[in-house]
Amino acid sequence: MYDSLVHDTKAGVRAEGLGRRFGDLWALRDLDLEVPAGRVVALLGHNGAGKTTTIRILTTLCSPTTGRASVAGFDVTEQPGEVRSRIGVASQAATVDGLLSARNNLVMVGRLHGLSRREARRRADDLLQRFGLTEAADRLVKTFSGGMRRRLDLAATLVATPRVLFLDEPTTGLDPRSRNELWDLLRDLVRNGTTLVLTTQYLEEADRLADDIVILDHGTVIARGTPDELKTRVGGDRIQVTVATPEGVDRAVAAVAALIGDRPHTDPIERTVTIAARDGIRVPDVVRRLDEAGVDVVDVN
């Protein structure tokens, strides 16, 4: 099944059991990911959570220790050249050349992708207009503001019209106005069919842009879902139950699932079951259900 998915040219991004180890340290472990074409997934987490490692694997900059992944229908390990020809990448630091003008930066990228001089210049002019940089097209990039450099960096990733775009913390260091402008540009790209994978530390950014969010902590996925699902699951008031044994987690879930009409969030390591405290769900009712099921509860808060 995996092989058939890898060669599906309509695929966006897929990963199964993806992991990367550096010595004894697992920077990423057991990541499963599916991003259909034309969708946005946000990898959310603190510094060192594994976000950048994921991007580096998916963009063929490092090899996975475990698991497999495909981008735009091609295996990242076995067909890296095919993957690279179909993606755009913007890392945390802008990679444009400060000693060239904005136009010459884009023309250079176009020529490196094999475009003729005329086509590279036409593509550069189109992108400069699209990103609101036409008036600054012939200025040296070293004179640009942070927001302008970020927009030019993103434009450079689009010169070759990539099918999948990877952005590693694209708005870090930008002021609120520049951030909102960049978000608008990214929405336009997605509406035109681009598949987008982005990493961020900003909850608002993930909420505003992503169709799905994957939350990483120390290289491991701790939660995933749509923004609304995650907010319903962990946002607002919650009832958190801690049970005495790992086996008690499943028993607690079975005991309260009918009461809340959904599966609660669980953390087997911490032995917790978390329930969104919606209308009609009271702490005494939850405790009564757990007691009737014989679940050994250590704490409720």
Side-chain angles (χ1 to χ4, degrees):
M1 180 178 179
Y2 177 86
D3 290 336
S4 66
L5 292 175
V6 164
H7 295 291
D8 175 9
T9 57
K10 295 182 180 180
V13 177
R14 298 178 187 272
E16 294 181 1
L18 207 60
R20 174 68 183 186
R21 184 174 63 191
F22 297 95
D24 295 330
L25 173 66
W26 284 93
L28 182 70
R29 196 160 195 173
D30 296 328
L31 173 67
D32 294 327
L33 194 64
E34 182 172 350
V35 191
R39 300 273 290 182
V40 182
V41 67
L43 305 178
L44 182 65
H46 57 82
N47 286 331
K51 306 186 302 298
T52 297
T53 299
T54 302
I55 295 295
R56 288 180 60 81
I57 293 173
L58 295 175
T59 57
T60 77
L61 294 177
C62 72
S63 300
T65 304
T66 62
R68 306 175 73 178
S70 69
V71 175
F74 295 93
D75 191 283
V76 298
T77 301
E78 298 176 0
Q79 300 164 296
E82 298 288 351
V83 172
R84 291 170 190 164
S85 68
R86 290 165 173 82
I87 64 174
V89 184
S91 60
Q92 293 181 27
T95 55
V96 289
D97 191 332
L99 298 179
L100 294 177
S101 68
R103 177 179 283 112
N104 285 341
N105 262 284
L106 299 184
V107 169
M108 177 183 68
V109 173
R111 296 288 285 161
L112 290 172
H113 278 285
L115 301 182
S116 67
R117 187 176 299 277
R118 176 179 295 181
E119 179 62 18
R121 188 175 181 86
R122 185 196 65 77
R123 182 67 175 150
D125 289 341
D126 287 346
L127 289 168
L128 288 168
Q129 182 176 9
R130 184 175 188 178
F131 283 83
L133 294 170
T134 301
E135 294 183 0
D138 296 313
R139 281 172 47 191
L140 294 183
V141 172
K142 68 179 182 179
T143 67
F144 281 17
S145 67
M148 293 172 68
R149 288 175 66 93
R150 202 57 174 153
R151 280 184 289 168
L152 180 62
D153 197 39
L154 182 57
T157 70
L158 299 176
V159 169
T161 317
R163 293 169 53 185
V164 183
L165 185 60
F166 294 91
L167 304 180
D168 194 4
E169 301 193 12
T171 61
T172 297
L174 297 186
D175 60 77
R177 178 179 177 181
S178 297
R179 182 175 296 151
N180 285 324
E181 290 175 349
L182 185 55
W183 286 347
D184 290 339
L185 291 170
L186 294 176
R187 290 191 194 94
D188 288 341
L189 293 175
V190 174
R191 277 194 289 267
N192 290 326
T194 300
T195 302
L196 177 58
V197 178
L198 66 92
T199 73
T200 182
Q201 299 183 57
Y202 302 126
L203 295 170
E204 182 186 9
E205 185 163 66
D207 190 17
R208 294 272 294 272
L209 291 177
D211 298 304
D212 296 288
I213 298 172
V214 176
I215 302 177
L216 293 166
D217 181 53
H218 294 93
T220 302
V221 175
I222 60 171
R224 67 172 73 221
T226 67
D228 287 342
E229 287 172 347
L230 291 175
K231 284 186 286 188
T232 298
R233 188 184 310 164
V234 300
D237 292 333
R238 295 169 290 162
I239 302 170
Q240 186 176 73
V241 178
T242 304
V243 298
T245 65
E247 295 77 16
V249 172
D250 289 337
R251 295 176 61 192
V253 169
V256 301
L259 176 65
I260 66 175
D262 194 7
R263 179 179 174 84
H265 176 67
T266 63
D267 186 335
I269 297 176
E270 297 295 330
R271 308 189 312 279
T272 59
V273 177
T274 303
I275 304 161
R278 297 189 294 267
D279 291 343
I281 298 177
R282 302 182 304 162
V283 173
D285 295 331
V286 173
V287 173
R288 187 177 301 111
R289 288 291 183 100
L290 293 169
D291 184 54
E292 291 172 352
V295 178
D296 188 1
V297 176
V298 175
D299 185 49
V300 178
N301 65 70

